[in-house]
C-alpha cells in the first residue's frame, strides 16, 4: 500500500494503479468445492454461500483500503474509482455459484447496509471495498464535479444492484450535479407506484 502511494506521488501512474488493483482484488472462496458438495446435500443451508476472501489478513486489507487507497484516490480520483469499481463487480460475481442467474440482486443490503459507514458487526471484505469505492466517488466529484455523467455511465454499466444503490447515494449527496439523472431514474423506475424501496 505504501508503495502504491509512493509511486503515485512520483508520477509512476500506470505502475501504481496496476499494483493497487492487485492489492484490492478479492480471491474466490477457498472452500468453494466443499461448499458445492454441502449445497447438493442441502440446497437451503445458509453456510454454503460463497465468501470471496482477501489474499491477505482482513485487517491489513481494510487498513490498505482506508489509508493507502484513500490517498491514491486523492491523486488519481477517476482511475482509482475505475479500479475499485472493477474489483467490486468481480468480487460480487465471485459470491454466486451462477452469477448470470443471480444478477442483479447481490444481497448487498445484507453485507453492506450503509455505503459510507460500516458497523461493528461488518467483517465482509466486499463491504470494506464498497466503503473505499464510495469514498473514491466522493473525492472524484469533489475535485471534478463535471465528471458526474461519466461516473454515472460507469456505474450503470455494472449489472449488480449495489451500483444502483451507489448511484442513488451520490444523487442524494450531489443533487445539483444529478437533477436530470434523478428525474430519469424516478420516471423510469419499474413498479414506481407499488414497489418496495431500499435504504437509498
Amino acid at each position: 500500500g505504501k508503495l502504491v502511494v509512493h509511486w503515485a506521488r512520483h508520477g509512476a501512474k500506470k505502475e501504481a494503479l496496476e499494483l493497487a488493483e492487485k492489492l484490492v482484488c478479492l480471491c474466490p472462496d477457498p472452500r468453494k468445492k466443499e461448499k458445492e458438495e454441502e449445497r447438493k446435500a442441502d440446497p437451503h443451508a445458509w453456510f454454503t454461500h460463497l465468501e470471496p476472501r482477501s489474499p491477505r489478513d482482513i485487517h491489513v486489507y481494510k487498513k490498505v483500503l482506508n489509508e493507502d487507497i484513500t490517498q491514491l484516490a486523492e491523486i488519481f480520483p477517476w482511475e482509482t474509482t475505475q479500479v475499485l469499481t472493477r474489483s467490486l463487480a468481480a468480487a460480487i460475481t465471485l459470491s454466486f455459484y451462477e452469477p448470470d442467474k443471480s444478477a442483479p440482486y447481490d444481497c448487498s443490503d445484507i453485507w453492506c447496509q450503509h455505503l459510507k459507514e460500516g458497523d461493528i458487526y461488518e467483517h465482509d471484505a466486499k463491504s470494506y471495498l464498497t466503503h473505499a469505492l464510495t469514498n473514491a466517488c466522493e473525492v472524484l466529484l469533489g475535485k471534478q464535479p463535471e465528471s458526474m455523467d461519466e461516473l454515472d455511465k460507469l456505474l450503470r454499466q455494472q449489472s449488480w444492484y449495489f451500483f444502483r444503490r451507489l448511484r442513488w447515494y451520490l444523487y442524494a449527496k450531489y443533487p445539483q450535479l444529478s437533477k436530470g439523472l434523478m428525474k430519469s431514474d424516478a420516471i423510469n423506475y419499474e413498479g414506481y407506484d407499488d414497489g418496495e424501496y431500499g435504504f437509498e
Side-chain angles (χ1 to χ4, degrees), residues 173-187:
K173 179 149 189 179
Y174 303 95
Q176 296 304 316
L177 301 178
S178 56
K179 282 185 177 180
L181 298 169
M182 280 193 280
K183 179 180 178 180
S184 175
D185 262 23
I187 291 173

Side-chain angles (χ1 to χ4, degrees), residues 132-188:
L133 173 56
T134 302
N135 176 71
C137 289
E138 291 177 340
V139 170
L140 172 63
L141 293 174
K143 290 177 174 289
Q144 303 169 20
E146 71 281 0
S147 66
M148 171 59 97
D149 286 348
E150 193 172 6
L151 174 58
D152 186 76
K153 182 179 178 181
L154 173 67
L155 298 177
R156 284 178 185 272
Q157 290 170 348
Q158 314 308 315
S159 62
W160 297 107
Y161 179 65
F162 170 81
F163 295 98
R164 291 190 213 173
R165 293 179 59 199
L166 179 54
R167 286 194 296 107
W168 296 332
Y169 169 85
L170 295 172
Y171 293 172
K173 179 149 189 179
Y174 303 95
Q176 296 304 316
L177 301 178
S178 56
K179 282 185 177 180
L181 298 169
M182 280 193 280
K183 179 180 178 180
S184 175
D185 262 23
I187 291 173
N188 295 305

Side-chain angles (χ1 to χ4, degrees), residues 25-169:
C25 276
L26 298 182
C27 301
D29 189 327
R31 294 188 58 235
K32 182 178 180 180
K33 289 185 178 179
E34 181 183 340
K35 287 182 177 181
E36 282 179 317
E37 293 303 316
E38 294 171 346
R39 196 164 180 251
K40 288 176 185 176
D42 181 3
H44 303 292
W46 66 269
F47 52 81
T48 63
H49 70 276
L50 298 177
E51 300 177 54
R53 304 293 176 87
S54 165
R56 56 201 54 80
D57 180 85
I58 189 66
H59 301 292
V60 173
Y61 181 73
K62 183 179 181 182
K63 185 180 174 76
V64 168
L65 286 171
N66 289 348
E67 297 179 9
D68 307 309
I69 301 303
T70 294
Q71 292 181 64
L72 182 66
E74 292 285 346
I75 302 169
F76 302 126
W78 172 245
E79 294 83 354
T80 304
T81 299
Q82 289 177 300
V83 165
L84 294 171
T85 298
R86 284 194 300 268
S87 300
L88 180 58
I92 295 173
T93 299
L94 289 174
S95 301
F96 292 91
Y97 291 96
E98 298 178 290
D100 292 339
K101 294 182 180 179
S102 301
Y105 184 59
D106 52 20
C107 306
S108 62
D109 50 344
I110 297 172
W111 49 262
C112 179
Q113 292 189 358
H114 297 285
L115 276 62
K116 186 62 179 172
E117 300 294 337
D119 60 48
I120 60 172
Y121 303 108
E122 195 173 79
H123 300 294
D124 191 306
K126 294 193 303 294
S127 67
Y128 298 148
L129 196 48
T130 65
H131 303 320
L133 173 56
T134 302
N135 176 71
C137 289
E138 291 177 340
V139 170
L140 172 63
L141 293 174
K143 290 177 174 289
Q144 303 169 20
E146 71 281 0
S147 66
M148 171 59 97
D149 286 348
E150 193 172 6
L151 174 58
D152 186 76
K153 182 179 178 181
L154 173 67
L155 298 177
R156 284 178 185 272
Q157 290 170 348
Q158 314 308 315
S159 62
W160 297 107
Y161 179 65
F162 170 81
F163 295 98
R164 291 190 213 173
R165 293 179 59 199
L166 179 54
R167 286 194 296 107
W168 296 332
Y169 169 85

Side-chain angles (χ1 to χ4, degrees), residues 10-26:
H10 289 81
K13 181 177 181 178
K14 179 174 179 289
E15 293 80 1
L17 292 168
E18 286 179 354
L19 180 55
E21 190 147 10
K22 291 182 186 299
L23 287 176
V24 302
C25 276
L26 298 182

